[in-house]
Amino acid sequence: MRLWFRIPAAFPGTTMLSQTAEYALRVVLFIAQREAAGPVVAETIATALGLPQNYIAKTLHRLAQAGVLASVRGKGGGFRLAVPAGRLPLIEVVGLFDRVEPVRQCLLGRPACSDAHPCEAHGRWKGVSETVAHFFRDTTIGDLLGEAGVAVPRARRARGR
């Protein structure tokens, strides 16, 4: 599963998510897709997603410390969502690793760029960055699972999402 919200490399330094935040989102989606099967171990996640196991283990523990995931010990243990996917906004996952808010640095790299003194790209870039911030705040893990064709619980659909 490859994430699709990246800005073209023509704008260096403007990648939407860091590698760690992207991995965290991929991991949480993987766990959410397998929620009915019970907790998932780090090795299974790393292998299935083709990611380094030690890196994923650290990311999983950070997500558990923040209350995004719950760690289950013992035989049959691993990681599961700590809250239902439909109540878990993306910002709670990626926000642990990246600042996802309307960008206030100039897209063209100018030191002084603001609403009062905008560069040529300011108005359009401000709108895009605000849309991206809203996306991460207003979209849940459950929303993404529903878009991927995975069943979303009936209560979630009943609310119009």
Side-chain angles (χ1 to χ4, degrees):
M1 161 181 3
R2 192 77 185 133
L3 296 179
W4 29 260
F5 28 85
R6 292 221 179 253
I7 294 176
F11 299 107
T14 58
T15 301
M16 193 60 58
L17 294 178
S18 67
Q19 185 176 55
T20 304
E22 180 182 332
Y23 284 2
L25 186 54
R26 291 174 65 193
V27 163
V28 171
L29 284 166
F30 183 85
I31 291 170
Q33 289 171 331
R34 285 145 189 84
E35 189 71 18
V40 186
V41 295
E43 181 180 2
T44 299
I45 297 167
T47 301
L49 298 178
L51 302 174
Q53 186 174 344
N54 62 342
Y55 196 82
I56 292 308
K58 291 175 185 176
T59 303
L60 286 164
H61 288 291
R62 176 70 184 105
L63 289 164
Q65 288 173 339
V68 171
L69 299 178
S71 177
V72 180
R73 295 183 182 267
K75 186 176 181 177
F79 292 88
R80 63 175 177 74
L81 294 182
V83 297
R87 291 197 344 238
L88 181 56
L90 301 184
I91 191 68
E92 288 188 26
V93 177
V94 299
L96 295 170
F97 307 98
D98 288 352
R99 289 179 55 195
V100 181
E101 56 193 44
V103 177
R104 291 292 161 234
Q105 70 184 49
C106 179
L107 180 66
L108 301 180
R110 294 188 180 162
C113 180
S114 65
D115 289 342
H117 303 288
C119 72
E120 295 83 355
H122 184 79
R124 286 181 180 224
W125 183 242
K126 179 180 173 184
V128 168
S129 65
E130 288 173 355
T131 299
V132 169
H134 287 292
F135 170 80
F136 284 103
R137 256 193 336 266
D138 299 341
T139 304
T140 67
I141 294 296
D143 292 332
L144 294 186
L145 293 177
E147 290 175 11
V150 176
V152 177
R154 184 172 299 247
R156 181 87 174 125
R157 287 188 300 225
R159 291 192 315 208
R161 288 212 169 183

